[in-house]
Amino acid sequence: MIGPDVAEIAEKLGAAADSATAIPQLAAETGLDVDAAYAVQAALVQRRLDRGERLVGLKMGLTSRAKMAQVGVDEVIWGRLTDVMRVPDGGTVDTGDFIHPRVEPEVAFLLDRLPGPGEPVGAFTRAVRAVAPAIELIDSRYANFTFSLPDVVADNTSAAAFAIGPWSPVPDGLDNLGVLLEIDGRVAQVGSTAAILGDPRRALDEGLRLAGRYGVRLRKGWVFLAGAATAAVPLRPGAHVRAVVEKLGTASLKALP
Ligand code: 0L1
Ligand code: MG
């Protein structure tokens, strides 16, 4: 039996992102399963690397119940981050570059020495050099932000842009820090880092599990977005967005009017 055409699906998703134009879901029609979807994701990101972008890290997706409920998918997934997706802290994005952008408050890790494939993470503070508050901008390439699990994996887990606040040494506890998402100075979402798999440190275990399964080596110096502490909120033109994480500080970005 002939499997789904990985290169063709990656091309459709890449073109949708480049032109900021939504497309219909692809998995049901092409018979895409989750493993094939990760192959599409790799091809989709390779398309970016071929035009000069650099891989700078990974993001975990759907690490909280709020996020799973928001999109109707209940499995932790991951995607790849490139340098072009990074927005300076306090920097500006153009909503016109995206289809239906949403923002969510996250915790970021700066990776240090990682265990080899199959080894336990061991001391978190050896694997992670620093932590920071972050904002992830997600943008599904599918119409109405609606997708199945293989669809969203193939679409690089809706990765589009991210901003990272100041790095700090890993604090004693990361498991129950208050999180706010503010839009134009008003609180839009309230949460806790406990929403990220009970403790954001578990996101790294999940990342290493997926790395072992898909043969990816996590690199020293990479950014690792552990996941969102709340549901995501639509990003409107002109909005000022701040993610505030207790003990870690603030990350922010602005959308052009
Ligand atoms: O980062 C995330 O949790 C997003 C994963 C994909 C689902 C979505 O687009 O909300
Ligand atoms: Mg996210």
Side-chain angles (χ1 to χ4, degrees):
M1 191 186 121
I2 302 173
D5 188 330
V6 166
E8 187 186 349
I9 299 171
E11 188 51 42
K12 281 187 183 163
L13 284 163
D18 291 347
S19 61
T21 308
I23 57 172
Q25 294 178 54
L26 298 158
E29 176 197 313
T30 56
L32 198 68
D33 64 13
V34 173
D35 285 344
Y38 273 112
V40 172
Q41 182 189 118
L44 178 63
V45 175
Q46 187 59 47
R47 195 176 172 276
R48 285 176 169 266
L49 305 185
D50 289 346
R51 62 189 188 206
E53 297 184 31
R54 265 187 322 110
L55 205 54
V56 294
L58 295 167
K59 57 157 284 188
M60 300 306 290
L62 305 181
T63 48
S64 77
R65 286 275 143 217
K67 290 281 315 178
M68 286 178 180
Q70 186 172 33
V71 296
V73 172
D74 60 0
E75 193 169 312
V76 174
I77 54 181
W78 79 353
R80 292 151 158 99
L81 303 172
T82 76
D83 58 337
V84 167
M85 297 178 190
R86 186 158 181 175
V87 179
D89 186 25
T92 304
V93 295
D94 184 345
T95 53
D97 290 341
F98 308 103
I99 301 166
H100 31 209
R102 296 177 176 176
V103 283
E104 54 189 23
E106 301 229 359
V107 173
F109 301 152
L110 182 59
L111 297 184
D112 201 338
R113 192 204 66 86
L114 271 300
E119 287 172 25
V121 177
F124 182 82
T125 45
R126 288 188 65 196
V128 170
R129 197 188 315 165
V131 295
I135 297 170
E136 187 184 13
L137 188 160
I138 51 174
D139 189 34
S140 175
R141 269 52 72 163
Y142 302 112
N144 305 317
F145 228 111
T146 304
F147 38 71
S148 65
L149 174 60
D151 275 313
V152 69
V153 166
D155 186 24
N156 198 20
T157 65
S158 309
F162 63 98
I164 298 186
W167 294 107
S168 344
V170 181
D172 277 346
L174 265 183
D175 55 330
N176 192 15
L177 303 178
V179 177
L180 293 179
L181 181 69
E182 293 177 4
I183 309 283
D184 296 332
R186 289 199 193 87
V187 175
Q189 292 282 327
V190 181
S192 157
T193 55
I196 306 167
L197 296 173
D199 182 334
R201 286 176 292 198
R202 292 207 183 105
L204 189 58
D205 298 320
E206 286 294 314
L208 285 165
R209 182 181 63 75
L210 287 165
R213 179 161 167 189
Y214 293 108
V216 174
R217 184 156 187 93
L218 276 61
R219 304 276 170 192
K220 184 172 177 167
W222 272 10
V223 167
F224 184 92
L225 292 182
T230 72
V233 169
L235 178 66
R236 310 276 180 224
H240 287 220
V241 182
R242 271 180 15 124
V244 185
V245 183
E246 185 185 352
K247 287 194 191 168
L248 301 187
T250 300
S252 68
L253 59 78
K254 300 186 276 292
L256 281 177

